[in-house]
Amino acid sequence: MANLSSAFQDALADQSKAALVAIIAKNPGTTVRDLKQLVSDNPMLGSITLGGLLGVGGVARGRGGRPKGSGSNVAAAAAAAPGAAAAGAAPRKAGKPGPRKGAAHKRNVRTETGREALDKEVLEALTAHGGEAVAATQLRQSLNADPTQLRTSLNRLIERGLVTFTGKARGTRYSLS
Protein backbone atom coordinates (compact mmCIF):
# COMPACT_ATOMS: atom_id res chain seq x y z
CA MET A 1 0.00 0.00 0.00
CA ALA A 2 2.92 2.31 0.75
CA ASN A 3 4.20 1.97 -2.84
CA LEU A 4 0.75 2.72 -4.24
CA SER A 5 0.45 5.78 -2.03
CA SER A 6 3.91 6.96 -3.04
CA ALA A 7 3.10 6.49 -6.73
CA PHE A 8 -0.15 8.42 -6.26
CA GLN A 9 1.64 11.31 -4.51
CA ASP A 10 4.25 11.42 -7.29
CA ALA A 11 1.52 11.51 -9.94
CA LEU A 12 -0.25 14.34 -8.11
CA ALA A 13 2.98 16.33 -7.87
CA ASP A 14 3.64 15.88 -11.60
CA GLN A 15 0.10 16.97 -12.51
CA SER A 16 0.28 19.97 -10.15
CA LYS A 17 3.52 21.08 -11.78
CA ALA A 18 2.06 20.68 -15.28
CA ALA A 19 -1.05 22.66 -14.27
CA LEU A 20 1.10 25.43 -12.83
CA VAL A 21 3.17 25.64 -16.04
CA ALA A 22 -0.06 25.87 -18.07
CA ILE A 23 -1.42 28.63 -15.83
CA ILE A 24 1.80 30.65 -16.16
CA ALA A 25 1.66 30.28 -19.96
CA LYS A 26 -1.95 31.55 -20.03
CA ASN A 27 -1.20 34.46 -17.68
CA PRO A 28 1.87 36.27 -19.02
CA GLY A 29 1.67 38.92 -16.28
CA THR A 30 2.34 36.40 -13.49
CA THR A 31 4.94 37.69 -11.07
CA VAL A 32 7.21 35.84 -8.69
CA ARG A 33 5.15 37.26 -5.82
CA ASP A 34 1.98 35.76 -7.37
CA LEU A 35 3.68 32.38 -7.72
CA LYS A 36 5.00 32.48 -4.17
CA GLN A 37 1.49 33.11 -2.88
CA LEU A 38 0.06 30.33 -5.06
CA VAL A 39 2.62 27.80 -3.85
CA SER A 40 2.13 28.76 -0.20
CA ASP A 41 -1.68 28.50 -0.56
CA ASN A 42 -1.44 25.04 -2.18
CA PRO A 43 0.70 22.63 -0.15
CA MET A 44 0.20 19.91 -2.78
CA LEU A 45 2.78 21.78 -4.89
CA GLY A 46 5.34 20.73 -2.27
CA SER A 47 8.84 22.09 -2.50
CA ILE A 48 8.65 23.18 -6.13
CA THR A 49 11.23 25.82 -7.05
CA LEU A 50 10.97 28.55 -9.65
CA GLY A 51 13.96 27.18 -11.57
CA GLY A 52 12.57 23.65 -11.50
CA LEU A 53 9.14 24.86 -12.53
CA LEU A 54 10.28 26.88 -15.49
CA GLY A 55 13.33 24.83 -16.40
CA VAL A 56 15.44 27.98 -16.71
CA GLY A 57 18.63 26.45 -15.28
CA GLY A 58 20.49 26.96 -18.56
CA VAL A 59 19.18 30.48 -19.31
CA ALA A 60 21.71 33.31 -19.24
CA ARG A 61 21.39 35.13 -15.96
CA GLY A 62 21.69 38.81 -15.22
CA ARG A 63 22.39 40.45 -11.88
CA GLY A 64 20.33 39.09 -9.03
CA GLY A 65 20.19 35.61 -10.59
CA ARG A 66 17.15 36.27 -12.81
CA PRO A 67 17.19 35.46 -16.50
CA LYS A 68 18.38 38.48 -18.47
CA GLY A 69 15.58 40.86 -19.36
CA SER A 70 13.00 39.10 -17.19
CA GLY A 71 12.50 41.70 -14.47
CA SER A 72 10.06 40.12 -12.05
CA ASN A 73 7.85 38.83 -14.82
CA VAL A 74 7.82 35.05 -14.71
CA ALA A 75 6.27 34.69 -18.17
CA ALA A 76 9.41 36.19 -19.72
CA ALA A 77 11.46 33.46 -18.07
CA ALA A 78 9.07 30.85 -19.44
CA ALA A 79 9.33 32.39 -22.91
CA ALA A 80 13.14 32.29 -22.67
CA ALA A 81 12.98 28.50 -22.33
CA PRO A 82 9.76 27.39 -24.03
CA GLY A 83 10.72 23.78 -24.65
CA ALA A 84 12.38 23.44 -21.28
CA ALA A 85 9.26 24.49 -19.38
CA ALA A 86 7.30 21.69 -21.01
CA ALA A 87 10.05 19.11 -20.61
CA GLY A 88 10.80 20.08 -17.02
CA ALA A 89 14.54 20.60 -17.44
CA ALA A 90 16.81 22.80 -19.49
CA PRO A 91 19.59 21.19 -21.51
CA ARG A 92 23.10 21.78 -20.30
CA LYS A 93 25.04 24.44 -22.20
CA ALA A 94 27.94 23.31 -24.35
CA GLY A 95 31.30 23.75 -22.68
CA LYS A 96 29.94 23.44 -19.14
CA PRO A 97 31.48 20.63 -17.15
CA GLY A 98 29.32 17.59 -16.41
CA PRO A 99 28.92 16.06 -12.99
CA ARG A 100 32.12 15.88 -10.98
CA LYS A 101 34.05 12.66 -11.14
CA GLY A 102 32.79 10.18 -8.59
CA ALA A 103 29.49 12.02 -8.16
CA ALA A 104 26.49 9.79 -7.58
CA HIS A 105 24.30 9.07 -10.57
CA LYS A 106 20.80 10.46 -9.99
CA ARG A 107 18.19 8.11 -11.35
CA ASN A 108 14.65 9.09 -12.23
CA VAL A 109 12.72 7.51 -9.36
CA ARG A 110 9.68 9.74 -9.70
CA THR A 111 7.95 7.05 -11.76
CA GLU A 112 7.07 3.48 -10.81
CA THR A 113 9.16 2.22 -13.73
CA GLY A 114 12.19 4.18 -12.53
CA ARG A 115 11.81 2.91 -8.97
CA GLU A 116 11.46 -0.69 -10.18
CA ALA A 117 14.60 -0.32 -12.32
CA LEU A 118 16.60 0.97 -9.34
CA ASP A 119 15.25 -1.81 -7.10
CA LYS A 120 16.34 -4.38 -9.71
CA GLU A 121 19.83 -2.83 -9.86
CA VAL A 122 20.09 -2.95 -6.06
CA LEU A 123 19.08 -6.63 -5.98
CA GLU A 124 21.66 -7.40 -8.69
CA ALA A 125 24.36 -5.51 -6.76
CA LEU A 126 23.48 -7.40 -3.56
CA THR A 127 23.80 -10.67 -5.50
CA ALA A 128 27.14 -9.57 -6.98
CA HIS A 129 28.46 -8.85 -3.46
CA GLY A 130 27.54 -12.32 -2.23
CA GLY A 131 24.03 -11.50 -1.01
CA GLU A 132 24.92 -11.48 2.68
CA ALA A 133 26.01 -8.73 5.07
CA VAL A 134 26.64 -6.06 2.43
CA ALA A 135 27.23 -2.47 3.59
CA ALA A 136 25.29 0.38 1.98
CA THR A 137 28.60 2.04 1.05
CA GLN A 138 29.57 -1.03 -0.99
CA LEU A 139 26.25 -0.93 -2.81
CA ARG A 140 26.45 2.82 -3.35
CA GLN A 141 29.94 2.58 -4.83
CA SER A 142 29.17 -0.35 -7.11
CA LEU A 143 25.96 1.30 -8.38
CA ASN A 144 27.31 4.87 -8.33
CA ALA A 145 23.99 5.62 -6.62
CA ASP A 146 22.65 8.63 -4.79
CA PRO A 147 22.61 7.76 -1.04
CA THR A 148 19.01 8.87 -0.50
CA GLN A 149 17.72 7.00 -3.54
CA LEU A 150 19.63 3.86 -2.49
CA ARG A 151 18.32 4.00 1.08
CA THR A 152 14.74 4.45 -0.17
CA SER A 153 15.15 1.53 -2.57
CA LEU A 154 16.52 -0.69 0.19
CA ASN A 155 13.56 0.26 2.39
CA ARG A 156 11.13 -0.71 -0.40
CA LEU A 157 12.90 -4.05 -0.84
CA ILE A 158 12.81 -4.69 2.92
CA GLU A 159 9.10 -3.84 2.95
CA ARG A 160 8.50 -6.36 0.13
CA GLY A 161 10.45 -9.04 2.02
CA LEU A 162 13.21 -9.37 -0.58
CA VAL A 163 15.97 -7.91 1.62
CA THR A 164 16.73 -8.11 5.35
CA PHE A 165 19.03 -5.97 7.45
CA THR A 166 21.01 -6.19 10.67
CA GLY A 167 22.73 -3.51 12.71
CA LYS A 168 22.28 0.22 13.02
CA ALA A 169 23.67 3.35 11.38
CA ARG A 170 27.03 2.65 9.70
CA GLY A 171 26.96 -0.91 11.03
CA THR A 172 23.86 -1.76 9.00
CA ARG A 173 24.33 -4.70 6.66
CA TYR A 174 21.86 -5.86 4.01
CA SER A 175 21.22 -9.45 2.88
CA LEU A 176 18.99 -11.13 0.34
CA SER A 177 16.04 -12.94 1.92
Side-chain angles (χ1 to χ4, degrees), residues 105-120:
H105 172 65
K106 283 272 198 178
R107 291 161 173 85
N108 180 7
V109 292
R110 295 189 64 120
T111 64
E112 187 66 30
T113 307
R115 288 188 292 273
E116 288 172 2
L118 176 59
D119 291 353
K120 183 180 176 189

Side-chain angles (χ1 to χ4, degrees), residues 113-147:
T113 307
R115 288 188 292 273
E116 288 172 2
L118 176 59
D119 291 353
K120 183 180 176 189
E121 285 183 70
V122 171
L123 288 171
E124 289 170 355
L126 272 168
T127 303
H129 284 287
E132 292 210 21
V134 181
T137 54
Q138 289 176 293
L139 292 172
R140 192 173 67 241
Q141 289 170 353
S142 66
L143 294 169
N144 191 26
D146 176 74

Side-chain angles (χ1 to χ4, degrees), residues 26-69:
K26 290 180 184 176
N27 296 291
T30 305
T31 65
V32 173
R33 182 178 303 169
D34 296 335
L35 278 178
K36 183 178 178 183
Q37 184 64 45
L38 183 65
V39 170
S40 67
D41 290 346
N42 295 285
M44 72 189 85
L45 292 174
S47 59
I48 196 166
T49 64
L50 186 59
L53 174 67
L54 299 175
V56 293
V59 174
R61 306 231 175 247
R63 287 187 188 197
R66 285 190 229 132
K68 287 185 179 177

